[in-house]
Amino acid sequence: IRQILQGICNPKPRRCHADWLYPNIAKWANESRISNNRLGELLGVTNTAVRNYMIGKRDLPKRVIDKLIEISGMTYEKLFEKPKEA
């Protein structure tokens, strides 16, 4: 029910992942409406660990990378693709 109401009550996607180093992961999380807390649950880590991984404070362990590939459906290359310079 919460997921259904979330789209009705908050139709605008959140931009809470704007400072992440990995734009494709941030875009996927925003479009999927996945919070740091929820991503932590999916990855089996704390929300603080998610934040530290995504802002580059800590290195991503292989098990977390593998889980990101599994839940996002993206390839390794797509997950960590850097934006093209203009």
Side-chain angles (χ1 to χ4, degrees):
I1 293 177
R2 183 174 53 168
Q3 289 176 336
I4 294 168
L5 291 177
Q6 197 173 28
I8 296 168
C9 299
N10 186 12
K12 293 182 182 178
R14 293 175 287 160
R15 299 182 61 88
C16 62
H17 309 305
D19 60 343
W20 286 10
L21 295 179
Y22 312 107
N24 290 338
I25 299 173
K27 181 180 178 192
W28 166 78
N30 281 328
E31 288 174 353
S32 302
R33 296 183 176 274
I34 296 178
S35 66
N36 282 6
N37 286 342
R38 180 67 181 132
L39 188 54
E41 290 171 3
L42 293 170
L43 296 174
V45 299
T46 65
N47 66 320
T48 303
V50 169
R51 175 126 180 90
N52 287 336
Y53 295 148
M54 296 304 158
I55 65 170
K57 216 171 185 182
R58 299 273 186 259
D59 290 335
L60 280 157
K62 183 180 181 320
R63 68 177 176 77
V64 171
I65 294 170
D66 291 343
K67 194 68 176 173
L68 277 168
I69 291 168
E70 178 186 327
I71 63 176
S72 72
M74 287 189 267
T75 64
Y76 176 89
E77 291 77 14
K78 187 70 175 172
L79 279 175
F80 300 106
E81 181 180 63
K82 296 289 183 183
K84 297 191 183 355
E85 297 293 323

